[in-house]
Amino acid sequence: MTTRAGVARRLLAIGGAIAIALTASACTPDAAVIANPTKVAQSSRATAPPSSAETPPEPPTSTAVPTTTAQPLTPEPTVTAKPTPTAKPTPTTTPKPPPAVIILEQGDTGPKVRAFQARLRQIGWFAGDVSDRYGAKTAAAVRGFQAKRGYPVTGTADERTYDKLIAMTRRPTADELANVKPKPPEAKPASVSWDVDERCMTGRVMCISKSTRRLTWVVDGVPQYGFDVRFGSDELPTREGVFSVYLKKVDVISNLYHTPMPYAMFFSGGQAVHYSSNFARLGYSGASHGCVNVRNKPLLIQLYNEVRIGDKVVVHW
C-alpha cells in the first residue's frame, strides 16, 4: 500500500513538472504576441512602448522603393526669326513749286489788257483812262495790289493775282472800257431835300447833318445830291464844325483800327468821309470810329471824283 508520504511526494513531483512546463511555454518565442507588421518607411514606435526593463528594439531598416530622379527636360531650341532689315529712308527732297503761270505782263497789248485795267480802276488801283497796253503804270498798279494782299510783288499778273482781281470786281461795262465818264444823277437840284445850314450856302461844300444822317453835296448854295451817312459812337464821336478836305486817297487802311477806308476824303485829323462795307451790311446797328461812313458806293465814287483838295466840309446838327 502506498503510504501517505509516498502519495504526497508523487503529487509534489507532478505539480513541479506542471509548473516547469507552464513556465517554459510562457517564455517561448513562438508563444509571444506577434507585433503588427510595420509599413515601409513607418517607424516602429507606433507599437506599444517597451517596459523599462526591456531594451528598445532597433528601428527597422527602411525598405522604401528608390525614387527615380526625373531627368530635366531638354528645352526645345527656340527659333529666333532673323530681323527684317529696315530699309534705309530715302532722303526726300521738297519739290519746288511750279513756276507761276503768267496771264498778263508788261509789254502785252490787246483788249484783255484794257479789261484788266478797267477792273483795277473799279477798286481804285488804276487812275485815268484805260488802254490796250500793259505799261509801267499798269505794272505799278499791280505791284500795289499784290503788296496789299501779301503776294509776291512782281508787277506781273500771274494766275493768283489775276484770279483775285476777277473775284473782287465785276465785268467792265462798255462805257468803262471806252472811258466814258458816268453821268450825274438826273434829279433836279431843286428837288433835293437837305438840312440847310448857312455855312453850306457858299462854295463847294460837303454838308453833313447829324440830325438827318445825310451828306449833301452843295455847290454855291444849290444841293446836287445826297446819301445816308453814319457817325462815330459816344466814345469816338465825329467832330462838328467847319473843316476842309486836305487829303484824298482811294485805298487806305486805318493805322489805329486796321480797317479799310476806301475812297477816303480826310477833313479833320484821321477823320474822313469814306465807304464802309460794314455800314452797307449792318446799317445803323453799328458805328464808325469817328469817320463819316457812306454805304452808297457808286454815288460816293462820283463825289470822290468831284471833290477837290480844299473844298469845305461842314458837320452840324
Side-chain angles (χ1 to χ4, degrees):
M1 288 186 69
T2 305
T3 62
R4 290 185 178 182
V7 173
R9 286 191 298 271
R10 191 175 180 180
L11 289 173
L12 290 171
I14 293 171
I18 293 170
I20 293 170
L22 289 173
T23 305
S25 65
C27 298
T28 301
D30 293 338
V33 178
I34 300 174
N36 290 330
T38 304
K39 294 183 180 178
V40 175
Q42 181 176 349
S43 173
S44 61
R45 295 179 183 274
T47 59
S51 63
S52 59
E54 294 177 345
T55 302
E58 296 181 1
T61 304
S62 174
T63 59
V65 178
T67 304
T68 303
T69 304
Q71 296 296 324
L73 296 177
T74 303
E76 295 183 2
T78 303
V79 180
T80 305
K82 293 183 179 180
T84 304
T86 304
K88 294 182 179 180
T90 304
T92 56
T93 56
T94 304
K96 294 182 179 180
V101 178
I102 304 301
I103 306 298
L104 290 171
E105 59 185 343
Q106 193 165 347
D108 287 346
T109 59
K112 190 171 184 177
V113 174
R114 180 180 288 263
F116 183 70
Q117 291 175 350
R119 286 179 181 271
L120 285 169
R121 187 170 62 180
Q122 287 177 10
I123 57 175
W125 282 107
F126 189 90
D129 293 342
V130 298
S131 68
D132 291 344
R133 180 173 177 76
Y134 195 124
K137 184 178 179 180
T138 307
V142 171
R143 283 195 293 271
F145 179 83
Q146 290 170 329
K148 177 72 177 294
R149 282 145 193 89
Y151 298 171
V153 180
T154 62
T156 298
D158 56 21
E159 190 173 23
R160 183 185 186 188
T161 302
Y162 187 84
D163 289 348
K164 182 65 175 178
L165 179 64
I166 295 299
M168 293 178 62
T169 56
R170 54 177 171 74
R171 186 173 182 176
T173 65
D175 285 348
E176 287 176 319
L177 295 174
N179 296 308
V180 176
K181 303 299 181 184
K183 295 180 180 180
E186 296 182 356
K188 295 180 181 180
S191 65
V192 176
S193 175
W194 63 298
D195 186 7
V196 179
D197 186 283
E198 292 298 326
R199 295 169 292 182
C200 301
M201 298 304 293
T202 57
R204 300 159 57 86
V205 188
M206 283 192 284
C207 198
I208 304 169
S209 171
K210 285 189 172 182
S211 297
T212 61
R213 296 190 291 193
R214 295 276 295 178
L215 183 154
T216 306
W217 176 233
V218 183
V219 179
D220 296 329
V222 180
Q224 305 299 308
Y225 50 87
F227 37 76
D228 296 335
V229 290
R230 185 177 70 172
F231 304 101
S233 62
D234 292 339
E235 292 77 17
L236 297 169
T238 303
R239 289 184 279 274
E240 301 158 24
V242 179
F243 311 94
S244 61
V245 177
Y246 71 89
L247 175 66
K248 292 174 57 180
K249 200 165 185 179
V250 171
D251 196 4
V252 184
I253 298 294
S254 170
N255 292 331
L256 292 177
Y257 307 106
H258 309 291
T259 53
M261 303 169 61
Y263 299 97
M265 294 173 278
F266 290 90
F267 61 87
S268 176
Q271 294 189 354
V273 176
H274 68 82
Y275 173 71
S276 169
S277 59
N278 181 273
F279 181 32
R281 185 174 66 256
L282 302 178
Y284 291 103
S285 60
S288 75
H289 296 107
C291 289
V292 178
N293 289 166
V294 180
R295 59 183 172 184
N296 188 330
K297 190 173 184 179
L299 209 52
L300 176 64
I301 294 174
Q302 179 179 330
L303 177 63
Y304 182 90
N305 292 329
E306 293 183 31
V307 168
R308 306 166 187 165
I309 298 296
D311 282 350
K312 195 188 304 183
V313 179
V314 177
V315 181
H316 67 95
W317 281 99

